């Protein structure tokens, strides 16, 4: 933990400081669950173990505190920007800080998406017992668009938002976060169009695992449609 790690641990153990840190990773319950990621769907790893339901020992974003908090959130949607307003109150007996987390659930369409994606977090000031604080978090939906490298949506080499229901969840960690807002995107939205530059050359392609509407399968990676040398020469010509 560094040269000041021992000092920090002692201050927490003796109550001089109220812990407020959160896990940036998922802690597995047993080795059979590895690898394990907070944003991925359950893979079935670990389900064969006795008395194990496959859940992690500690989820992403989990953390302990000497006090307790209540958080009430409201979300609004304007354009493609989501704003989450939260009222946090220290309902415990000790002073402490609270880390508020926002997650996004996207429709799992042709390109597939993680179960939940962390979109932002914010920590309160040191709150005394019964003290409250208002927090506001914003995130832009386009920042969580999917990239279509194969053209399966009809828009190759583009970032896009697939149609369906998007849900915003708020809470203290990825598993306990509760849905606070839902909004529907009626049609596919292309947020950015790019140009192929360094795709896999034909003859060197390999298979990859893909998630199509929640179904996993193998498919060959997209191969280059343009010659990389010609592309580099054309770029050099434009720059000169």
């Amino acid at each position: 933990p560094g040269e000041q790690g021992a000092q920090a641990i002692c201050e927490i153990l003796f109550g001089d400081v109220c812990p407020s840190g959160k896990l940036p990773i998922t802690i597995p319950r047993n080795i059979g669950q590895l690898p394990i990621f907070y944003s991925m769907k359950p893979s079935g790893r670990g389900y064969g173990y006795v008395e194990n339901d496959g859940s992690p020992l500690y989820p992403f974003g989990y953390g302990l505190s000497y006090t307790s908090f209540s958080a009430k959130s409201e979300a609004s949607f304007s354009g493609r920007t989501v704003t989450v307003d939260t009222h946090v109150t220290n309902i415990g007996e000790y002073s402490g800080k609270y880390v508020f987390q926002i997650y996004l659930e996207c429709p799992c369409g042709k390109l597939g998406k993680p179960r939940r994606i962390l979109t932002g977090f914010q920590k309160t000031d040191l709150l005394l017992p019964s003290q409250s604080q208002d927090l506001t978090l914003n995130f832009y939906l386009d920042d969580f668009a999917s990239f279509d490298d194969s053209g399966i949506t009809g828009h190759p080499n583009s970032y896009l938002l697939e149609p369906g229901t998007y849900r915003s969840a708020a809470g203290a960690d990825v598993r306990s976060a509760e849905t606070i807002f839902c909004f529907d995107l009626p049609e596919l939205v292309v947020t950015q169009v790019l140009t192929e530059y360094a795709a896999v050359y034909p003859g060197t392609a390999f298979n990859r695992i893909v998630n199509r509407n929640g179904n996993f399968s193998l498919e060959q990676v997209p191969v280059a449609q343009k010659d990389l040398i010609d592309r580099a020469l054309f770029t050099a010509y434009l720059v000169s």
Side-chain angles (χ1 to χ4, degrees), residues 65-168:
S65 176
Y66 292 142
T67 189
S68 302
F69 299 90
S70 68
K72 299 180 180 179
S73 302
E74 294 182 352
S76 59
F77 186 57
S78 177
R80 292 200 293 272
T81 299
V82 179
T83 300
V84 180
D85 295 309
T86 302
H87 184 74
V88 180
T89 302
N90 184 349
I91 60 175
E93 300 179 356
Y94 304 97
S95 300
K97 298 179 181 180
Y98 179 77
V99 179
F100 181 64
Q101 304 169 38
I102 301 294
Y103 295 89
L104 178 66
E105 298 179 12
C106 303
C108 186
K110 295 180 179 180
L111 298 176
K113 294 293 283 187
R115 176 68 176 83
R116 279 182 172 177
I117 306 171
L118 179 68
T119 62
F121 62 91
Q122 190 172 356
K123 180 181 285 190
T124 66
D125 299 330
L126 183 67
L127 299 180
L128 301 176
S130 301
Q131 188 177 6
S132 300
Q133 183 177 350
D134 293 323
L135 303 176
T136 298
L137 282 172
N138 300 294
F139 65 89
Y140 192 40
L141 202 58
D142 290 19
D143 292 338
F144 303 94
S146 301
F147 183 68
D148 184 1
D149 58 357
S150 65
I152 191 173
T153 65
H155 301 275
N157 303 314
S158 300
Y159 281 97
L160 47 89
L161 298 169
E162 296 193 82
T165 301
Y166 289 76
R167 296 179 174 86
S168 180

Side-chain angles (χ1 to χ4, degrees), residues 4 11 22 41 61 85 92-93 109 116 122-123 136 171 173-174 191 212 231 236:
Q4 292 298 316
E11 290 178 356
K22 298 291 185 176
K41 289 188 173 184
D85 295 309
E93 300 179 356
R116 279 182 172 177
Q122 190 172 356
K123 180 181 285 190
T136 298
D173 59 68
V174 67
T191 64
R212 307 297 189 205
R231 172 70 65 182

Side-chain angles (χ1 to χ4, degrees), residues 6 40 49-50 82 119 172 208 232 238:
M40 298 301 177
Y49 284 71
V50 176
V82 179
T119 62
R208 64 179 178 182
L238 293 179

